[in-house]
Amino acid sequence: MSIAIFDELKNYVGFDENDELRMKSLGPVVSPCLPEVVDRFYETILRHPGARVVFGDVAQVRRLRVSLLDWLQTLFCGRYDAEYYQKRSAIGRVHVRVGLPQHYMFGAMEIIWQSLKEIIYAADIANPREELASLHKLLSLELGIMLEAYKESYSEEIRRIERESMHERLTRAEHLAEIGQLAASLAHEIKNPLAGISGAIQVLRDGLARDDGRRSVLDEVLRHIARLDNTVKDLLVYARPKPVRVRECELNRVVERVLTLIRESPDAKRVVIEYIGDRHFPMIAADENLLEDVLLNLLQNAIHASPPGARVIITARVADGFAELAVEDFGHGMDEAVQRRAMEPFFTTKARGTGLGLSICQQIAAAHGGVLHIQSRPGAGTTVTLRVPSRGNQERDRVSP
Ligand code: HEM
Ligand SMILES: Nc1ncnc2c1ncn2[C@@H]1O[C@H](COP(=O)(O)OP(=O)(O)OP(=O)(O)O)[C@@H](O)[C@H]1O
Ligand SMILES: [Mg+2]
Protein backbone atom coordinates (compact mmCIF):
# COMPACT_ATOMS: atom_id res chain seq x y z
CA MET A 1 0.00 0.00 0.00
CA SER A 2 1.39 3.38 -0.87
CA ILE A 3 2.00 6.37 1.33
CA ALA A 4 0.17 8.48 -1.26
CA ILE A 5 -3.09 7.15 0.15
CA PHE A 6 -2.10 8.38 3.61
CA ASP A 7 -1.36 11.87 2.31
CA GLU A 8 -4.57 11.84 0.38
CA LEU A 9 -6.51 10.79 3.50
CA LYS A 10 -4.84 13.51 5.60
CA ASN A 11 -5.81 16.03 2.95
CA TYR A 12 -9.32 14.73 2.86
CA VAL A 13 -10.04 15.05 6.58
CA GLY A 14 -7.90 18.23 6.81
CA PHE A 15 -5.34 16.92 9.26
CA ASP A 16 -2.46 19.44 9.42
CA GLU A 17 0.47 20.56 11.67
CA ASN A 18 -1.91 22.17 14.17
CA ASP A 19 -3.74 18.92 14.65
CA GLU A 20 -0.41 17.17 15.06
CA LEU A 21 0.64 19.61 17.80
CA ARG A 22 -2.67 19.30 19.62
CA MET A 23 -2.40 15.52 19.65
CA LYS A 24 1.11 15.65 21.07
CA SER A 25 0.06 18.03 23.83
CA LEU A 26 -2.81 15.71 24.75
CA GLY A 27 -0.37 12.82 25.27
CA PRO A 28 0.61 13.53 28.90
CA VAL A 29 -3.00 14.39 29.82
CA VAL A 30 -4.60 11.15 28.62
CA SER A 31 -1.70 8.77 29.19
CA PRO A 32 -2.56 7.73 32.79
CA CYS A 33 -6.13 6.86 31.76
CA LEU A 34 -5.33 4.73 28.72
CA PRO A 35 -5.44 1.37 30.53
CA GLU A 36 -9.12 2.11 31.29
CA VAL A 37 -9.75 2.61 27.58
CA VAL A 38 -8.23 -0.80 26.95
CA ASP A 39 -10.44 -2.36 29.66
CA ARG A 40 -13.57 -0.87 28.23
CA PHE A 41 -12.61 -1.90 24.71
CA TYR A 42 -12.23 -5.55 25.69
CA GLU A 43 -15.26 -5.64 27.91
CA THR A 44 -17.37 -4.47 25.01
CA ILE A 45 -16.01 -6.66 22.23
CA LEU A 46 -15.79 -9.79 24.34
CA ARG A 47 -19.52 -9.50 25.01
CA HIS A 48 -20.14 -10.20 21.32
CA PRO A 49 -19.97 -13.88 20.38
CA GLY A 50 -19.19 -12.98 16.75
CA ALA A 51 -16.15 -10.94 17.81
CA ARG A 52 -15.10 -13.36 20.53
CA VAL A 53 -14.48 -16.22 18.10
CA VAL A 54 -11.33 -14.59 16.69
CA PHE A 55 -9.60 -14.92 20.04
CA GLY A 56 -7.70 -18.15 20.47
CA ASP A 57 -6.88 -18.17 24.18
CA VAL A 58 -6.35 -15.99 27.23
CA ALA A 59 -2.72 -15.44 26.27
CA GLN A 60 -3.81 -13.89 23.00
CA VAL A 61 -6.19 -11.51 24.76
CA ARG A 62 -3.37 -10.51 27.11
CA ARG A 63 -1.05 -9.93 24.15
CA LEU A 64 -3.62 -7.82 22.44
CA ARG A 65 -4.15 -5.66 25.55
CA VAL A 66 -0.47 -4.82 25.41
CA SER A 67 -0.65 -4.08 21.67
CA LEU A 68 -3.70 -1.90 22.08
CA LEU A 69 -2.19 0.08 24.96
CA ASP A 70 0.88 0.66 22.83
CA TRP A 71 -1.36 1.66 19.95
CA LEU A 72 -3.14 4.22 22.14
CA GLN A 73 0.09 5.65 23.51
CA THR A 74 1.65 6.09 20.09
CA LEU A 75 -1.59 7.67 18.89
CA PHE A 76 -0.55 10.79 20.81
CA CYS A 77 3.15 10.79 19.92
CA GLY A 78 3.44 11.62 16.24
CA ARG A 79 5.09 12.05 13.90
CA TYR A 80 2.34 11.05 11.56
CA ASP A 81 4.71 10.18 8.76
CA ALA A 82 5.57 7.28 6.47
CA GLU A 83 6.96 5.18 9.30
CA TYR A 84 3.87 5.69 11.42
CA TYR A 85 1.75 4.77 8.46
CA GLN A 86 3.70 1.55 7.77
CA LYS A 87 3.35 0.43 11.37
CA ARG A 88 -0.35 1.17 11.46
CA SER A 89 -1.07 -0.67 8.25
CA ALA A 90 0.36 -3.89 9.71
CA ILE A 91 -2.73 -4.06 11.95
CA GLY A 92 -5.15 -4.58 9.05
CA ARG A 93 -3.06 -7.50 7.84
CA VAL A 94 -3.06 -9.10 11.30
CA HIS A 95 -6.84 -8.74 11.47
CA VAL A 96 -7.20 -10.59 8.17
CA ARG A 97 -4.89 -13.29 9.43
CA VAL A 98 -6.97 -13.86 12.56
CA GLY A 99 -10.20 -13.85 10.52
CA LEU A 100 -11.74 -10.75 12.07
CA PRO A 101 -14.73 -9.54 10.01
CA GLN A 102 -14.11 -6.00 8.76
CA HIS A 103 -17.40 -4.57 10.02
CA TYR A 104 -16.30 -4.80 13.66
CA MET A 105 -13.79 -2.00 13.05
CA PHE A 106 -16.38 0.76 12.99
CA GLY A 107 -17.92 -0.18 16.31
CA ALA A 108 -14.51 -0.77 17.85
CA MET A 109 -13.25 2.64 16.78
CA GLU A 110 -16.43 4.20 18.16
CA ILE A 111 -15.74 2.67 21.59
CA ILE A 112 -12.23 4.13 21.53
CA TRP A 113 -13.57 7.52 20.50
CA GLN A 114 -16.21 7.62 23.26
CA SER A 115 -13.71 6.60 25.94
CA LEU A 116 -11.10 9.12 24.88
CA LYS A 117 -13.72 11.85 24.62
CA GLU A 118 -14.82 11.28 28.22
CA ILE A 119 -11.21 11.40 29.40
CA ILE A 120 -10.59 14.69 27.60
CA TYR A 121 -13.79 16.27 28.95
CA ALA A 122 -12.85 15.23 32.46
CA ALA A 123 -9.35 16.68 32.11
CA ASP A 124 -8.60 20.25 32.92
CA ILE A 125 -8.55 21.69 29.42
CA ALA A 126 -9.91 25.19 28.88
CA ASN A 127 -11.59 24.60 25.53
CA PRO A 128 -11.44 20.95 24.51
CA ARG A 129 -13.39 21.43 21.30
CA GLU A 130 -10.34 21.84 19.09
CA GLU A 131 -8.58 18.91 20.73
CA LEU A 132 -11.60 16.73 20.15
CA ALA A 133 -11.84 17.80 16.51
CA SER A 134 -8.17 16.88 15.94
CA LEU A 135 -8.60 13.53 17.67
CA HIS A 136 -11.66 12.78 15.60
CA LYS A 137 -9.73 13.44 12.40
CA LEU A 138 -6.90 11.22 13.54
CA LEU A 139 -9.24 8.35 14.41
CA SER A 140 -10.81 8.66 10.95
CA LEU A 141 -7.31 8.39 9.48
CA GLU A 142 -6.61 5.32 11.60
CA LEU A 143 -9.82 3.69 10.47
CA GLY A 144 -8.99 4.51 6.85
CA ILE A 145 -5.52 2.94 7.10
CA MET A 146 -6.82 -0.12 8.89
CA LEU A 147 -9.59 -0.75 6.36
CA GLU A 148 -7.36 -0.12 3.35
CA ALA A 149 -4.71 -2.54 4.64
CA TYR A 150 -7.42 -5.03 5.48
CA LYS A 151 -8.83 -4.83 1.96
CA GLU A 152 -5.43 -5.23 0.31
CA SER A 153 -4.43 -8.16 2.43
CA TYR A 154 -7.82 -9.77 1.96
CA SER A 155 -7.74 -9.57 -1.84
CA GLU A 156 -4.19 -10.89 -1.83
CA GLU A 157 -5.44 -13.86 0.15
CA ILE A 158 -8.30 -14.44 -2.32
CA ARG A 159 -5.89 -14.28 -5.26
CA ARG A 160 -3.64 -16.80 -3.55
CA ILE A 161 -6.54 -19.20 -3.00
CA GLU A 162 -7.65 -18.79 -6.62
CA ARG A 163 -4.16 -19.51 -7.89
CA GLU A 164 -4.01 -22.61 -5.76
CA SER A 165 -7.37 -23.96 -6.85
CA MET A 166 -6.57 -23.24 -10.50
CA HIS A 167 -3.36 -25.20 -10.14
CA GLU A 168 -5.25 -28.04 -8.51
CA ARG A 169 -7.84 -28.09 -11.31
CA LEU A 170 -5.17 -28.14 -13.99
CA THR A 171 -3.35 -31.02 -12.37
CA ARG A 172 -6.63 -32.85 -12.06
CA ALA A 173 -7.52 -32.28 -15.73
CA GLU A 174 -4.09 -33.51 -16.80
CA HIS A 175 -4.48 -36.51 -14.58
CA LEU A 176 -7.85 -37.35 -16.13
CA ALA A 177 -6.47 -36.94 -19.64
CA GLU A 178 -3.70 -39.39 -18.78
CA ILE A 179 -6.16 -41.88 -17.36
CA GLY A 180 -8.19 -41.49 -20.54
CA GLN A 181 -5.22 -42.32 -22.74
CA LEU A 182 -4.21 -45.20 -20.59
CA ALA A 183 -7.76 -46.50 -20.68
CA ALA A 184 -7.88 -46.24 -24.47
CA SER A 185 -4.71 -48.24 -25.03
CA LEU A 186 -5.65 -50.78 -22.40
CA ALA A 187 -9.08 -51.19 -23.96
CA HIS A 188 -7.52 -51.82 -27.37
CA GLU A 189 -5.20 -54.43 -25.92
CA ILE A 190 -8.09 -56.22 -24.26
CA LYS A 191 -10.70 -56.06 -27.01
CA ASN A 192 -9.16 -58.35 -29.63
CA PRO A 193 -8.09 -61.22 -27.39
CA LEU A 194 -11.49 -61.00 -25.78
CA ALA A 195 -13.21 -61.48 -29.13
CA GLY A 196 -10.93 -64.48 -29.76
CA ILE A 197 -11.73 -66.05 -26.40
CA SER A 198 -15.44 -65.50 -26.90
CA GLY A 199 -15.31 -67.15 -30.38
CA ALA A 200 -13.34 -70.11 -29.10
CA ILE A 201 -15.71 -70.74 -26.24
CA GLN A 202 -18.70 -70.58 -28.57
CA VAL A 203 -17.07 -73.22 -30.75
CA LEU A 204 -16.46 -75.41 -27.69
CA ARG A 205 -20.01 -74.94 -26.47
CA ASP A 206 -21.53 -75.70 -29.87
CA GLY A 207 -19.46 -78.88 -29.95
CA LEU A 208 -21.11 -80.18 -26.79
CA ALA A 209 -24.21 -82.33 -26.81
CA ARG A 210 -27.50 -80.44 -26.22
CA ASP A 211 -28.00 -82.02 -22.81
CA ASP A 212 -24.40 -81.63 -21.65
CA GLY A 213 -24.38 -79.90 -18.26
CA ARG A 214 -21.15 -78.09 -19.14
CA ARG A 215 -23.04 -75.99 -21.69
CA SER A 216 -24.49 -73.77 -18.94
CA VAL A 217 -21.00 -73.26 -17.52
CA LEU A 218 -19.76 -72.03 -20.87
CA ASP A 219 -22.87 -69.84 -21.28
CA GLU A 220 -22.04 -68.24 -17.95
CA VAL A 221 -18.45 -67.64 -19.13
CA LEU A 222 -19.80 -66.03 -22.31
CA ARG A 223 -22.02 -63.72 -20.27
CA HIS A 224 -19.02 -62.62 -18.23
CA ILE A 225 -17.08 -61.96 -21.41
CA ALA A 226 -19.95 -59.89 -22.78
CA ARG A 227 -19.91 -57.78 -19.63
CA LEU A 228 -16.15 -57.28 -19.87
CA ASP A 229 -16.57 -56.30 -23.49
CA ASN A 230 -19.18 -53.68 -22.52
CA THR A 231 -16.90 -52.19 -19.91
CA VAL A 232 -14.08 -51.97 -22.43
CA LYS A 233 -16.44 -50.32 -24.92
CA ASP A 234 -17.41 -47.73 -22.31
CA LEU A 235 -13.77 -46.98 -21.66
CA LEU A 236 -13.14 -46.52 -25.37
CA VAL A 237 -16.15 -44.24 -25.77
CA TYR A 238 -14.96 -42.14 -22.88
CA ALA A 239 -11.36 -41.91 -24.02
CA ARG A 240 -12.15 -41.37 -27.69
CA PRO A 241 -15.76 -40.25 -28.09
CA LYS A 242 -17.62 -40.96 -31.30
CA PRO A 243 -17.93 -37.99 -33.65
CA VAL A 244 -21.29 -36.26 -33.42
CA ARG A 245 -23.41 -36.60 -36.57
CA VAL A 246 -26.33 -34.28 -36.35
CA ARG A 247 -29.27 -35.30 -38.56
CA GLU A 248 -32.99 -34.86 -38.56
CA CYS A 249 -34.25 -37.36 -36.04
CA GLU A 250 -37.41 -38.37 -34.28
CA LEU A 251 -37.48 -38.48 -30.52
CA ASN A 252 -40.16 -41.19 -30.42
CA ARG A 253 -37.99 -43.48 -32.50
CA VAL A 254 -35.04 -42.99 -30.18
CA VAL A 255 -37.17 -44.02 -27.21
CA GLU A 256 -38.84 -46.94 -28.98
CA ARG A 257 -35.51 -48.36 -30.14
CA VAL A 258 -33.98 -48.18 -26.70
CA LEU A 259 -37.08 -49.72 -25.15
CA THR A 260 -36.96 -52.66 -27.54
CA LEU A 261 -33.35 -53.21 -26.65
CA ILE A 262 -33.55 -52.88 -22.92
CA ARG A 263 -36.81 -54.77 -22.36
CA GLU A 264 -34.93 -57.93 -23.30
CA SER A 265 -32.55 -57.64 -20.36
CA PRO A 266 -33.44 -59.55 -17.17
CA ASP A 267 -32.64 -56.47 -15.06
CA ALA A 268 -35.27 -54.42 -16.85
CA LYS A 269 -37.91 -57.05 -16.17
CA ARG A 270 -37.64 -56.24 -12.46
CA VAL A 271 -39.24 -52.82 -13.01
CA VAL A 272 -42.18 -51.32 -14.90
CA ILE A 273 -40.97 -48.93 -17.58
CA GLU A 274 -43.49 -46.34 -18.80
CA TYR A 275 -43.12 -43.86 -21.61
CA ILE A 276 -44.83 -40.50 -21.66
CA GLY A 277 -44.40 -38.72 -24.98
CA ASP A 278 -46.34 -37.24 -27.83
CA ARG A 279 -47.17 -39.07 -31.04
CA HIS A 280 -46.54 -35.96 -33.09
CA PHE A 281 -43.20 -34.62 -32.03
CA PRO A 282 -41.52 -32.33 -34.53
CA MET A 283 -38.25 -33.61 -35.97
CA ILE A 284 -35.21 -32.45 -34.08
CA ALA A 285 -31.58 -32.00 -35.13
CA ALA A 286 -29.37 -34.35 -33.12
CA ASP A 287 -27.28 -37.48 -33.30
CA GLU A 288 -29.78 -40.29 -32.91
CA ASN A 289 -27.21 -42.91 -31.90
CA LEU A 290 -25.77 -40.72 -29.20
CA LEU A 291 -29.21 -39.87 -27.81
CA GLU A 292 -29.85 -43.60 -27.65
CA ASP A 293 -26.63 -44.09 -25.72
CA VAL A 294 -27.72 -41.45 -23.23
CA LEU A 295 -31.16 -42.93 -22.72
CA LEU A 296 -29.73 -46.42 -22.35
CA ASN A 297 -27.27 -45.27 -19.69
CA LEU A 298 -29.91 -43.34 -17.78
CA LEU A 299 -32.31 -46.28 -17.88
CA GLN A 300 -29.63 -48.65 -16.65
CA ASN A 301 -28.88 -46.37 -13.71
CA ALA A 302 -32.59 -46.00 -12.92
CA ILE A 303 -33.11 -49.76 -13.02
CA HIS A 304 -30.10 -50.40 -10.78
CA ALA A 305 -31.44 -47.91 -8.23
CA SER A 306 -35.02 -49.22 -8.20
CA PRO A 307 -36.58 -51.80 -5.89
CA PRO A 308 -38.40 -54.70 -7.61
CA GLY A 309 -41.70 -53.74 -9.21
CA ALA A 310 -41.03 -49.99 -9.05
CA ARG A 311 -41.96 -47.71 -11.92
CA VAL A 312 -39.40 -46.02 -14.17
CA ILE A 313 -40.85 -43.20 -16.23
CA ILE A 314 -39.37 -41.88 -19.47
CA THR A 315 -40.61 -38.46 -20.49
CA ALA A 316 -39.89 -36.79 -23.84
CA ARG A 317 -40.72 -33.20 -24.70
CA VAL A 318 -40.02 -30.83 -27.55
CA ALA A 319 -40.88 -27.21 -26.79
CA ASP A 320 -39.46 -23.69 -26.79
CA GLY A 321 -36.53 -24.62 -28.99
CA PHE A 322 -35.41 -27.49 -26.76
CA ALA A 323 -35.78 -31.24 -26.73
CA GLU A 324 -35.85 -32.96 -23.36
CA LEU A 325 -35.47 -36.57 -22.43
CA ALA A 326 -35.96 -37.42 -18.77
CA VAL A 327 -35.74 -40.67 -16.85
CA GLU A 328 -37.42 -40.71 -13.47
CA ASP A 329 -37.10 -43.46 -10.91
CA PHE A 330 -38.38 -44.04 -7.39
CA GLY A 331 -35.27 -45.80 -6.15
CA HIS A 332 -32.73 -45.11 -3.43
CA GLY A 333 -31.71 -41.69 -4.77
CA MET A 334 -28.41 -39.99 -4.11
CA ASP A 335 -27.19 -38.01 -1.15
CA GLU A 336 -25.61 -34.64 -1.77
CA ALA A 337 -22.04 -35.94 -1.90
CA VAL A 338 -22.85 -38.61 -4.49
CA GLN A 339 -24.93 -36.19 -6.55
CA ARG A 340 -22.08 -33.70 -6.63
CA ARG A 341 -19.69 -36.30 -8.01
CA ALA A 342 -22.04 -38.47 -10.07
CA MET A 343 -20.92 -37.04 -13.44
CA GLU A 344 -17.21 -37.34 -12.70
CA PRO A 345 -15.50 -39.93 -14.88
CA PHE A 346 -14.78 -43.13 -12.94
CA PHE A 347 -16.96 -42.10 -10.01
CA THR A 348 -19.14 -45.04 -9.00
CA THR A 349 -20.78 -46.41 -5.88
CA LYS A 350 -21.38 -49.78 -7.53
CA ALA A 351 -19.20 -52.82 -7.00
CA ARG A 352 -19.22 -53.49 -10.73
CA GLY A 353 -19.64 -49.99 -12.17
CA THR A 354 -17.04 -48.22 -14.28
CA GLY A 355 -18.44 -44.84 -13.28
CA LEU A 356 -18.36 -43.69 -16.89
CA GLY A 357 -22.10 -43.78 -17.72
CA LEU A 358 -23.10 -40.30 -16.62
CA SER A 359 -19.85 -38.69 -17.65
CA ILE A 360 -20.36 -40.03 -21.19
CA CYS A 361 -23.95 -38.72 -21.12
CA GLN A 362 -22.67 -35.33 -20.06
CA GLN A 363 -20.11 -35.29 -22.86
CA ILE A 364 -22.84 -36.11 -25.36
CA ALA A 365 -25.09 -33.37 -23.95
CA ALA A 366 -22.25 -30.85 -24.19
CA ALA A 367 -21.41 -31.92 -27.75
CA HIS A 368 -25.01 -31.04 -28.67
CA GLY A 369 -24.73 -27.68 -26.93
CA GLY A 370 -27.00 -28.94 -24.16
CA VAL A 371 -26.85 -30.02 -20.53
CA LEU A 372 -27.48 -33.00 -18.31
CA HIS A 373 -29.30 -32.24 -15.09
CA ILE A 374 -29.68 -34.42 -12.00
CA GLN A 375 -32.39 -34.01 -9.43
CA SER A 376 -32.39 -36.49 -6.60
CA ARG A 377 -33.61 -37.09 -3.08
CA PRO A 378 -32.21 -39.88 -0.91
CA GLY A 379 -34.86 -42.52 -0.36
CA ALA A 380 -37.30 -40.88 -2.77
CA GLY A 381 -35.81 -41.22 -6.25
CA THR A 382 -33.99 -39.52 -9.05
CA THR A 383 -34.76 -37.71 -12.27
CA VAL A 384 -31.99 -37.19 -14.81
CA THR A 385 -32.83 -34.89 -17.70
CA LEU A 386 -31.03 -34.37 -20.99
CA ARG A 387 -31.81 -30.99 -22.54
CA VAL A 388 -30.51 -30.05 -25.99
CA PRO A 389 -31.43 -27.35 -28.51
CA SER A 390 -34.04 -28.96 -30.79
CA ARG A 391 -32.66 -27.39 -33.95
CA GLY A 392 -29.03 -28.11 -33.14
CA ASN A 393 -26.77 -25.12 -32.66
CA GLN A 394 -23.55 -23.58 -33.95
CA GLU A 395 -21.69 -26.58 -32.67
CA ARG A 396 -23.55 -29.01 -34.91
CA ASP A 397 -21.40 -31.42 -36.91
CA ARG A 398 -18.64 -30.72 -34.47
CA VAL A 399 -16.65 -33.64 -33.18
CA SER A 400 -17.31 -34.09 -29.49
CA PRO A 401 -14.43 -33.38 -27.11
C1 HEM B 1 -10.21 0.19 16.21
C2 HEM B 1 -10.11 -1.01 16.49
C3 HEM B 1 -8.89 -1.85 16.67
C4 HEM B 1 -7.57 -1.52 16.83
C5 HEM B 1 -6.97 -0.14 16.89
C6 HEM B 1 -6.82 -2.75 16.92
C7 HEM B 1 -5.45 -2.81 17.09
C8 HEM B 1 -4.72 -3.98 17.00
C9 HEM B 1 -3.29 -4.06 17.07
C10 HEM B 1 -2.33 -2.87 17.27
C11 HEM B 1 -2.93 -5.36 16.92
C12 HEM B 1 -1.50 -5.95 16.93
C13 HEM B 1 -1.01 -6.01 15.51
C14 HEM B 1 0.35 -6.67 15.34
O1 HEM B 1 0.57 -7.72 15.99
O2 HEM B 1 1.14 -6.17 14.56
C15 HEM B 1 -4.15 -6.10 16.77
C16 HEM B 1 -4.24 -7.48 16.60
C17 HEM B 1 -5.40 -8.19 16.80
N1 HEM B 1 -6.67 -7.66 16.93
FE1 HEM B 1 -7.17 -5.73 16.83
N2 HEM B 1 -7.67 -3.78 16.84
C18 HEM B 1 -8.95 -3.28 16.69
C19 HEM B 1 -10.11 -4.00 16.61
C20 HEM B 1 -10.17 -5.32 16.91
C21 HEM B 1 -11.39 -6.03 17.16
C22 HEM B 1 -12.78 -5.41 17.14
C23 HEM B 1 -11.03 -7.33 17.40
C24 HEM B 1 -11.87 -8.51 17.75
C25 HEM B 1 -13.14 -8.55 17.80
C26 HEM B 1 -9.61 -7.42 17.29
C27 HEM B 1 -8.88 -8.58 17.41
C28 HEM B 1 -7.53 -8.68 17.20
C29 HEM B 1 -6.79 -9.93 17.25
C30 HEM B 1 -7.37 -11.33 17.51
C31 HEM B 1 -5.46 -9.62 16.99
C32 HEM B 1 -4.27 -10.61 16.91
C33 HEM B 1 -3.64 -10.76 18.27
C34 HEM B 1 -2.43 -11.68 18.23
O3 HEM B 1 -2.61 -12.86 17.92
O4 HEM B 1 -1.33 -11.19 18.52
N3 HEM B 1 -9.12 -6.19 16.99
N4 HEM B 1 -5.23 -5.25 16.82
N1 LIG C 1 -30.82 -43.08 -11.00
C1 LIG C 1 -29.91 -43.11 -10.04
N2 LIG C 1 -30.26 -43.29 -8.75
C2 LIG C 1 -29.35 -43.31 -7.75
N3 LIG C 1 -28.03 -43.14 -7.96
C3 LIG C 1 -27.59 -42.95 -9.22
C4 LIG C 1 -28.49 -42.92 -10.32
N4 LIG C 1 -27.76 -42.67 -11.44
C5 LIG C 1 -26.48 -42.58 -11.06
N5 LIG C 1 -26.37 -42.75 -9.73
C6 LIG C 1 -25.13 -42.69 -8.94
O1 LIG C 1 -24.12 -42.07 -9.71
C7 LIG C 1 -22.99 -42.94 -9.85
C8 LIG C 1 -22.36 -42.72 -11.21
O2 LIG C 1 -23.22 -43.17 -12.25
P1 LIG C 1 -22.60 -43.60 -13.63
O3 LIG C 1 -23.71 -44.01 -14.52
O4 LIG C 1 -21.69 -42.53 -14.10
O5 LIG C 1 -21.69 -44.83 -13.26
P2 LIG C 1 -22.15 -46.27 -12.77
O6 LIG C 1 -23.59 -46.48 -13.07
O7 LIG C 1 -21.70 -46.43 -11.36
O8 LIG C 1 -21.25 -47.19 -13.68
P3 LIG C 1 -21.51 -47.52 -15.23
O9 LIG C 1 -22.60 -46.62 -15.70
O10 LIG C 1 -20.23 -47.24 -15.88
O11 LIG C 1 -21.89 -48.95 -15.21
C9 LIG C 1 -23.57 -44.33 -9.62
O12 LIG C 1 -22.58 -45.23 -9.16
C10 LIG C 1 -24.64 -44.06 -8.57
O13 LIG C 1 -24.07 -43.96 -7.29
MG1 LIG D 1 -24.35 -46.03 -14.98
Side-chain angles (χ1 to χ4, degrees):
M1 182 166 48
S2 86
I3 180 75
I5 294 180
F6 189 36
D7 289 336
E8 162 63 15
L9 270 175
K10 277 205 254 185
N11 242 332
Y12 187 66
V13 299
F15 188 86
D16 57 22
E17 290 88 55
N18 290 329
D19 296 302
E20 194 158 337
L21 289 174
R22 276 187 216 111
M23 294 312 299
K24 283 183 187 164
S25 68
L26 268 179
V29 182
V30 296
S31 184
C33 308
L34 293 179
E36 287 165 34
V37 180
V38 175
D39 285 343
R40 187 157 152 198
F41 183 88
Y42 282 102
E43 249 172 50
T44 317
I45 60 175
L46 287 178
R47 269 205 302 268
H48 289 274
R52 214 162 43 214
V53 293
V54 305
F55 293 104
D57 52 17
V58 189
Q60 194 179 32
V61 176
R62 210 177 302 125
R63 215 161 48 232
L64 196 55
R65 295 180 81 97
V66 177
S67 307
L68 194 70
L69 188 60
D70 178 64
W71 184 86
L72 283 164
Q73 273 154 357
T74 44
L75 189 64
F76 298 98
C77 290
R79 299 207 30 125
Y80 306 100
D81 55 7
E83 196 191 329
Y84 180 85
Y85 172 74
Q86 290 305 340
K87 280 199 184 129
R88 293 320 225 200
S89 56
I91 305 168
R93 283 195 290 279
V94 172
H95 284 156
V96 171
R97 202 191 66 217
V98 298
L100 175 66
Q102 202 176 16
H103 51 257
Y104 284 113
M105 294 308 147
F106 298 91
M109 200 56 95
E110 181 64 18
I111 299 168
I112 292 174
W113 161 243
Q114 292 297 340
S115 311
L116 290 173
K117 200 164 67 173
E118 282 167 25
I119 293 169
I120 291 168
Y121 272 132
D124 196 14
I125 300 176
N127 181 8
R129 272 199 30 219
E130 289 190 324
E131 269 73 12
L132 285 175
S134 299
L135 175 63
H136 197 266
K137 285 185 215 171
L138 184 57
L139 291 183
S140 303
L141 281 177
E142 290 283 354
L143 195 57
I145 299 171
M146 206 150 58
L147 295 183
E148 177 65 18
Y150 189 101
K151 186 195 78 186
E152 269 204 3
S153 172
Y154 193 77
S155 18
E156 230 167 68
E157 181 63 13
I158 300 272
R159 279 196 296 275
R160 191 185 61 75
I161 292 171
E162 272 173 358
R163 267 198 309 276
E164 266 179 22
S165 92
M166 184 59 84
H167 180 73
E168 209 173 89
R169 267 167 33 208
L170 276 178
T171 329
R172 208 175 138 72
E174 276 164 14
H175 182 60
L176 283 178
E178 269 168 28
I179 293 180
Q181 299 222 318
L182 193 74
S185 50
L186 200 66
H188 269 296
E189 292 302 313
I190 294 173
K191 250 186 120 34
N192 290 339
L194 212 55
I197 294 170
S198 172
I201 290 179
Q202 278 174 49
V203 171
L204 285 181
R205 181 195 58 186
D206 296 346
L208 293 176
R210 286 239 158 262
D211 57 352
D212 193 320
R214 286 171 298 178
R215 257 180 182 267
S216 65
V217 178
L218 293 184
D219 279 338
E220 185 62 15
V221 173
L222 283 173
R223 260 197 300 281
H224 281 296
I225 293 176
R227 225 193 51 230
L228 256 180
D229 193 54
N230 267 332
T231 306
V232 167
K233 251 192 238 139
D234 273 356
L235 277 174
L236 273 176
V237 170
Y238 178 70
R240 193 164 30 74
K242 299 175 201 164
V244 180
R245 284 184 231 291
V246 173
R247 303 257 188 286
E248 290 292 310
C249 80
E250 215 186 312
L251 216 44
N252 277 326
R253 229 170 70 106
V254 170
V255 180
E256 295 304 342
R257 284 236 296 256
V258 171
L259 279 178
T260 316
L261 221 124
I262 203 160
R263 277 197 173 122
E264 291 310 307
S265 82
D267 269 356
K269 291 188 177 133
R270 288 175 47 246
V271 299
V272 182
I273 302 179
E274 291 171 16
Y275 172 40
I276 301 171
D278 184 334
R279 277 154 56 87
H280 304 291
F281 275 137
M283 301 290 273
I284 64 168
D287 186 320
E288 204 167 74
N289 289 329
L290 293 184
L291 292 193
E292 281 177 26
D293 285 351
V294 172
L295 188 57
L296 202 60
N297 265 305
L298 298 186
L299 276 173
Q300 267 160 355
N301 282 347
I303 293 166
H304 286 154
S306 296
R311 292 192 307 157
V312 170
I313 304 172
I314 305 170
T315 316
R317 235 165 62 88
V318 181
D320 306 327
F322 284 92
E324 277 183 6
L325 255 180
V327 175
E328 179 180 12
D329 68 62
F330 303 90
H332 55 63
M334 297 177 232
D335 63 26
E336 213 178 296
V338 171
Q339 194 173 334
R340 209 172 34 242
R341 301 195 54 197
M343 294 192 212
E344 274 180 27
F346 306 111
F347 174 81
T348 180
T349 58
K350 300 173 190 171
R352 287 177 172 172
T354 62
L356 286 171
L358 286 178
S359 91
I360 290 172
C361 294
Q362 194 190 29
Q363 272 190 351
I364 294 175
H368 280 83
V371 288
L372 193 73
H373 177 253
I374 301 177
Q375 193 192 352
S376 186
R377 249 178 357 116
T382 303
T383 304
V384 184
T385 309
L386 168 79
R387 181 177 160 90
V388 295
S390 58
R391 302 308 311 158
N393 67 356
Q394 312 84 299
E395 298 198 56
R396 57 192 298 170
D397 295 325
R398 203 186 74 157
V399 172
S400 77

